[in-house]
Amino acid sequence: MICADLHMHSTYSLDGNNTIAEMCTQAVNLGLTQIAITDHVEWPPNGAHQRPDFDRYFAEIQECRVRFAPQGLTLFSGLELGNPHEHRSEVDALLARYDFDVVIGSMHWLAGQNIHYPQCFDGQDAYAVYARYFGEIEQIATTVDCEIIAHFDRIFWPGTRRFGAPEIERIEAPVRRAMRAVAEHGRVLELNTRFLTHTPGWNDALLTVLRWYREEGGQFVAADSDAHRTAELGRNLAVAQQLIEAAGCVPYQRQPVTVLA
């Protein structure tokens, strides 16, 4: 049984809805044994720079570690870097300044368009967009010092709304290149659990990608909720475990941290 969720957001993210302590309380209630609070660091195309107040963030992380460790919860610090391969100097400086436990690399913007919305496909062939997305994931895995490569499936969410479930074999080459880069550079692939029960679904495509990841040398897969509120934490973990194991992969769990009172 998967008892870890290493990707979630607190009120230190602009789109987070609950405090770190509230996320920890929900994790304990769900029987999770380890979580990471990975708030956003983003460079949107409009030039704004989004990042938490990490001095306050780390103080709260330490308080919650001490508070929740007796309840069996290991709490990791972390951050989610949006398009980090495009902002290497800022990323390197940030990672040098703070000692994060979990560093996640994500694609949120593709050719200046937000990949959460179908508009990112406007005027383009869907499979060209999919291929470009996986090409960017390959670049993150190759060039950025991150532990987890997040939500490889995110581009399928708006794509399926507009075009139906993806015919994943049409982009096998760029997907395999991305999976090979994740494996060769020692990254952990994330399976985002948010829409694993979505209708119409794309779980068949996800299973194929996970199998390609295994064939390209990958082993560990982090089943993460990407929760932005307590109600989303730990969702669909049973479905995620079925997919991960069906692909011949192993659910990822980190080594615990030392809690200093």
Side-chain angles (χ1 to χ4, degrees), residues 124-170:
Q124 303 175 79
D125 175 76
Y127 290 91
V129 174
Y130 289 147
R132 191 177 310 121
Y133 181 81
F134 279 95
E136 297 293 333
I137 288 178
E138 179 185 0
Q139 287 299 309
I140 295 174
T142 301
T143 64
V144 179
D145 185 16
C146 56
E147 178 176 355
I148 295 174
I149 300 295
H151 47 60
F152 70 85
D153 55 341
R154 177 65 65 90
I155 195 64
F156 297 143
W157 303 2
T160 299
R161 288 171 59 188
R162 179 169 288 187
F163 306 106
E167 299 173 22
I168 193 69
E169 291 77 10
R170 294 179 60 178

Side-chain angles (χ1 to χ4, degrees), residues 2 18 22 114 135 155 181 192 202 211 214 224 237 251 259:
I2 296 175
N18 292 97
E22 288 170 338
N114 190 323
I155 195 64
N192 191 298
W202 46 79
R211 284 174 172 158
R214 188 71 186 98
D224 295 333
L237 286 179
V259 176

Side-chain angles (χ1 to χ4, degrees), residues 82-96:
N83 292 49
H85 58 312
E86 298 173 354
H87 307 278
R88 283 293 309 281
S89 61
E90 296 98 324
V91 167
D92 291 346
L94 182 61
L95 297 184

Side-chain angles (χ1 to χ4, degrees), residues 94-198:
L94 182 61
L95 297 184
R97 180 176 179 183
Y98 295 102
D99 186 18
F100 297 99
D101 298 315
V102 177
V103 178
I104 295 177
S106 299
M107 274 297 297
H108 291 152
W109 308 91
L110 188 63
Q113 295 295 314
N114 190 323
I115 57 108
H116 296 80
Y117 303 112
Q119 288 84 352
C120 69
F121 290 92
D122 284 355
Q124 303 175 79
D125 175 76
Y127 290 91
V129 174
Y130 289 147
R132 191 177 310 121
Y133 181 81
F134 279 95
E136 297 293 333
I137 288 178
E138 179 185 0
Q139 287 299 309
I140 295 174
T142 301
T143 64
V144 179
D145 185 16
C146 56
E147 178 176 355
I148 295 174
I149 300 295
H151 47 60
F152 70 85
D153 55 341
R154 177 65 65 90
I155 195 64
F156 297 143
W157 303 2
T160 299
R161 288 171 59 188
R162 179 169 288 187
F163 306 106
E167 299 173 22
I168 193 69
E169 291 77 10
R170 294 179 60 178
I171 51 170
E172 179 173 355
V175 173
R176 279 189 178 273
R177 285 195 297 270
M179 297 302 103
R180 188 179 311 125
V182 173
E184 288 182 349
H185 291 274
R187 320 300 183 199
V188 175
L189 186 67
E190 178 188 275
L191 176 62
N192 191 298
T193 66
R194 180 173 183 178
F195 287 135
L196 294 182
T197 55
H198 187 270

Side-chain angles (χ1 to χ4, degrees), residues 246-258:
C249 296
V250 178
Y252 183 59
Q253 187 151 328
R254 299 185 89 252
Q255 293 299 311
V257 294
T258 300

Side-chain angles (χ1 to χ4, degrees), residues 52-100:
D53 179 339
F54 279 118
D55 293 329
R56 291 178 54 207
Y57 164 89
F58 274 102
E60 191 168 340
I61 285 285
Q62 182 58 25
E63 291 173 3
C64 287
R65 279 178 173 165
V66 173
R67 174 181 170 185
F68 289 96
Q71 301 177 55
L73 183 68
T74 295
L75 174 62
F76 296 109
S77 66
L79 76 170
E80 181 185 13
L81 299 166
N83 292 49
H85 58 312
E86 298 173 354
H87 307 278
R88 283 293 309 281
S89 61
E90 296 98 324
V91 167
D92 291 346
L94 182 61
L95 297 184
R97 180 176 179 183
Y98 295 102
D99 186 18
F100 297 99

Side-chain angles (χ1 to χ4, degrees), residues 211-241:
R211 284 174 172 158
W212 290 341
Y213 170 65
R214 188 71 186 98
E215 291 171 5
E216 296 297 336
Q219 180 180 13
F220 294 105
V221 177
D224 295 333
S225 66
D226 191 11
H228 286 68
R229 52 187 57 81
T230 55
E232 300 169 347
L233 205 157
R235 54 193 166 185
N236 298 325
L237 286 179
V239 179
Q241 183 158 351

